[in-house]
Amino acid sequence: MVAGGIVCETRSSCESFTKHSVPPLPTRPPPAPGVRRIHSIIDLWLGEQLRRRRQALGLPLQQVARACGISVSLLSQLERGLRSISMRTLGALAQELRLPIETLVRNTRYSEGEAEGAVARAGTHRRIDLGDKGIHKENLTPPAASGGVQMYRAVIDPGGSTGDDLFLTHKGEQVGYVIEGQLDLFVQERLLKLKAGDSFCYGGDMSRRWRNPGQTSTTILWAITCSPG
């Protein structure tokens, strides 16, 4: 078992170590100065790509927002990863910025007649490659799901990471399972070293970052609750 990044031989020794040696992680902390609050790491990456492309073309926010039929405020939030982007808006922005949408997201249609979207077959999951971060994510959630829980499969290249800065997302809980490889998970700058077979959880509004410190790819299965507010 693992307690605070330490592997324990038995449940009793792990509980004893945790009780006497490791202070519990604080819950629902206030955002620390300099910590970025974003909607998700995917939204942050997409926003970065759109902002870099817009700036490279020398286009002001107002011009791009007007051409895409959205407000300047919304475009600013999208570029900073504060809002999720719809496929319709992403398509409009990609066209305006002359950016092939295939470089941002691979989106395939679900098979018709699959119990009205209750089943998502292999090869039909929406995939986003965060290329410069070495992260590849698939949304495994069937389209008929209520939206209360989202499930993702993430493959992290050797050395891949969310970056050096801590970030926050929405309220809710995130639970993960390391299928293969290694993961360094920083929760409020506390390092948890994880390996294949380990599981973990944290609040969505707890500051964090993560990376693959190994020489092989790391695969994570993530379940994320989507609490309002």
Side-chain angles (χ1 to χ4, degrees):
M1 298 182 65
V2 177
I6 305 298
V7 178
C8 305
E9 295 180 355
T10 65
R11 177 179 295 275
S12 60
S13 64
C14 191
E15 291 175 347
S16 176
F17 179 89
T18 302
K19 179 178 180 181
H20 298 291
S21 305
V22 181
L25 285 173
T27 58
R28 305 297 181 261
V35 176
R36 303 184 67 176
R37 180 176 289 278
I38 62 175
H39 193 270
S40 77
I41 190 63
I42 292 177
D43 296 320
L44 176 62
W45 181 83
L46 283 173
E48 288 177 348
Q49 307 312 303
L50 295 171
R51 184 181 69 254
R52 290 174 185 173
R53 178 62 174 175
R54 178 181 61 78
Q55 292 175 342
L57 295 175
L59 300 176
L61 274 170
Q62 293 84 349
Q63 178 179 332
V64 174
R66 183 170 56 252
C68 295
I70 60 177
S71 68
V72 173
S73 174
L74 175 57
L75 179 55
S76 176
Q77 291 181 63
L78 293 174
E79 287 191 352
R80 289 179 290 154
L82 302 180
R83 292 277 297 274
S84 284
I85 187 169
S86 68
M87 288 302 298
R88 179 179 179 181
T89 300
L90 181 60
L93 287 168
Q95 181 176 356
E96 179 65 20
L97 298 175
R98 302 191 294 278
L99 188 65
I101 196 170
E102 293 79 11
T103 65
L104 300 174
V105 58
R106 302 175 188 177
N107 189 34
T108 55
R109 295 183 180 275
Y110 295 103
S111 301
E112 295 182 2
E114 290 286 5
E116 297 183 350
V119 175
R121 296 295 183 186
T124 68
H125 304 115
R126 187 173 69 175
R127 176 176 174 178
I128 296 181
D129 294 315
L130 286 63
D132 56 346
K133 294 183 180 295
I135 301 171
H136 316 276
K137 298 188 76 171
E138 283 184 291
N139 188 339
L140 306 180
T141 313
S146 65
V149 177
Q150 295 286 310
M151 181 171 290
Y152 292 89
R153 177 179 179 269
V155 177
I156 311 167
D157 296 336
S161 76
T162 56
D164 296 329
D165 297 326
L166 292 167
F167 65 91
L168 302 170
T169 53
H170 56 79
K171 294 180 180 179
E173 190 170 32
Q174 301 194 13
V175 178
Y177 174 76
V178 184
I179 298 175
E180 61 181 358
Q182 305 173 56
L183 183 71
D184 281 355
L185 173 63
F186 296 83
V187 181
Q188 298 175 232
E189 285 295 7
R190 177 181 173 189
L191 172 60
L192 303 176
K193 298 190 74 68
L194 306 168
K195 63 182 185 304
D198 292 342
S199 57
F200 57 90
C201 68
Y202 49 79
D205 55 355
M206 297 180 73
S207 58
R208 61 193 181 277
R209 60 189 177 95
W210 39 266
R211 70 186 180 201
N212 174 6
Q215 300 299 312
T216 60
S217 295
T218 294
T219 302
I220 310 290
L221 185 65
W222 246 293
I224 302 173
T225 62
C226 302
S227 300

